[in-house]
Amino acid sequence: MAEPMEIRGFRYWPGLLDAAAQAALVAELRAVVAAAPLYAPVTPGGRPMSVRMTSAGRLGWVTDRRGYRYEAAHPSGVAWPPIPASVLALWHGLTGLDRAPDCCLVNFYGEGAKMGLHQDRDEGDFTFPVLSISLGDEALFRVGGTDRRDPTESLWLRSGDVLLMGGAARLAWHGIDRLRFRSSRLLPGGGRINLTLRVVATSPSSS
Ligand code: SIN
Ligand code: FE2
């Protein structure tokens, strides 16, 4: 495995997945989305998000007027499909952990979609890292520190790039400012898919 670069405490493997691996992953994700369709989430404040979302795994991350949380089922009531084996292999290979992730959040960015600066903090144990895999169009990723006011820096995430947010960087603020729509030909209609693998380490919401 190639040595990762270090960016703000994140480990970064640019172009880790080659074109064949990216295409194979997209095929596996088509099956995920067929079982658990992408939906348009809203924030707890009622604002529609520009990304569309679904999940694979034991738990899926959801947001609606009731808040940010993990749920055992898709908003339609169907169970989340399993996390693709190739994604699990990447997780175990890069993190060195025996523990499997509970959730593979699938974010789809169409033209104009972005994601505001945030921390990933709905999980029960921040000693586990979050692994991020980018597919399709290039996206401008912004990363800061663990304080909202810390200075940020930006990098373009490209198809096949993998990022591990762990250690002190686990609670770093991060977001996606914009996309270079149709900069990649991986997805025929354009757009970007980002997968984030998370150990949730809490029981699903009982509500
Ligand atoms: C996220 O923070 O959930 C997504 C980050 C990304 O799209 O690269
Ligand atoms: Fe995030």
Side-chain angles (χ1 to χ4, degrees):
M1 191 74 69
E3 279 303 304
M5 295 170 58
E6 188 84 24
I7 294 185
R8 289 295 193 106
F10 287 37
R11 284 199 277 162
Y12 175 44
W13 293 264
L16 183 67
L17 302 179
D18 65 16
Q22 293 170 37
L25 193 42
V26 169
E28 291 187 283
L29 293 171
R30 289 198 194 289
V32 166
V33 168
L38 291 165
Y39 60 93
V42 296
T43 67
R47 281 215 258 143
M49 294 180 71
S50 56
V51 298
R52 290 190 294 142
M53 265 177 205
T54 190
S55 287
R58 186 175 75 84
L59 295 170
W61 186 84
V62 299
T63 170
D64 58 21
R65 296 303 292 241
R66 285 167 37 221
Y68 299 131
R69 64 200 184 277
Y70 285 91
E71 289 282 2
H74 183 275
S76 69
V78 300
W80 306 107
I83 300 175
S86 61
V87 174
L88 290 177
L90 208 55
W91 164 271
H92 291 296
L94 295 180
T95 65
L97 293 170
D98 290 329
R99 172 79 152 88
D102 300 298
C103 172
C104 173
L105 177 65
V106 180
N107 285 151
F108 176 78
Y109 296 74
E111 188 169 14
K114 56 190 178 186
M115 185 173 293
L117 218 55
H118 66 278
Q119 293 173 296
D120 291 354
R121 51 181 323 139
D122 300 317
E123 300 73 30
D125 184 345
F126 302 135
T127 63
F128 290 103
V130 171
L131 187 71
S132 152
I133 303 169
S134 293
L135 295 166
D137 290 339
E138 297 171 10
L140 190 59
F141 180 75
R142 182 197 291 264
V143 56
T146 52
D147 189 310
R148 179 77 170 82
R149 293 159 301 185
D150 288 340
T152 63
E153 61 188 281
S154 296
L155 72 145
W156 284 96
L157 290 179
R158 298 191 170 82
S159 199
D161 288 1
V162 177
L163 206 57
L164 188 66
M165 311 185 245
R170 173 62 181 77
L171 288 172
W173 287 79
H174 61 279
I176 294 290
D177 287 339
R178 63 193 158 93
L179 223 62
R180 278 189 184 129
F181 190 63
R182 291 197 182 279
S183 53
S184 159
R185 297 223 298 248
L186 183 68
L187 305 174
R192 170 175 187 261
I193 297 170
N194 175 261
L195 306 179
T196 44
L197 295 161
R198 299 118 181 270
V199 170
V200 177
T202 53
S203 52
S205 155
S206 55
S207 57

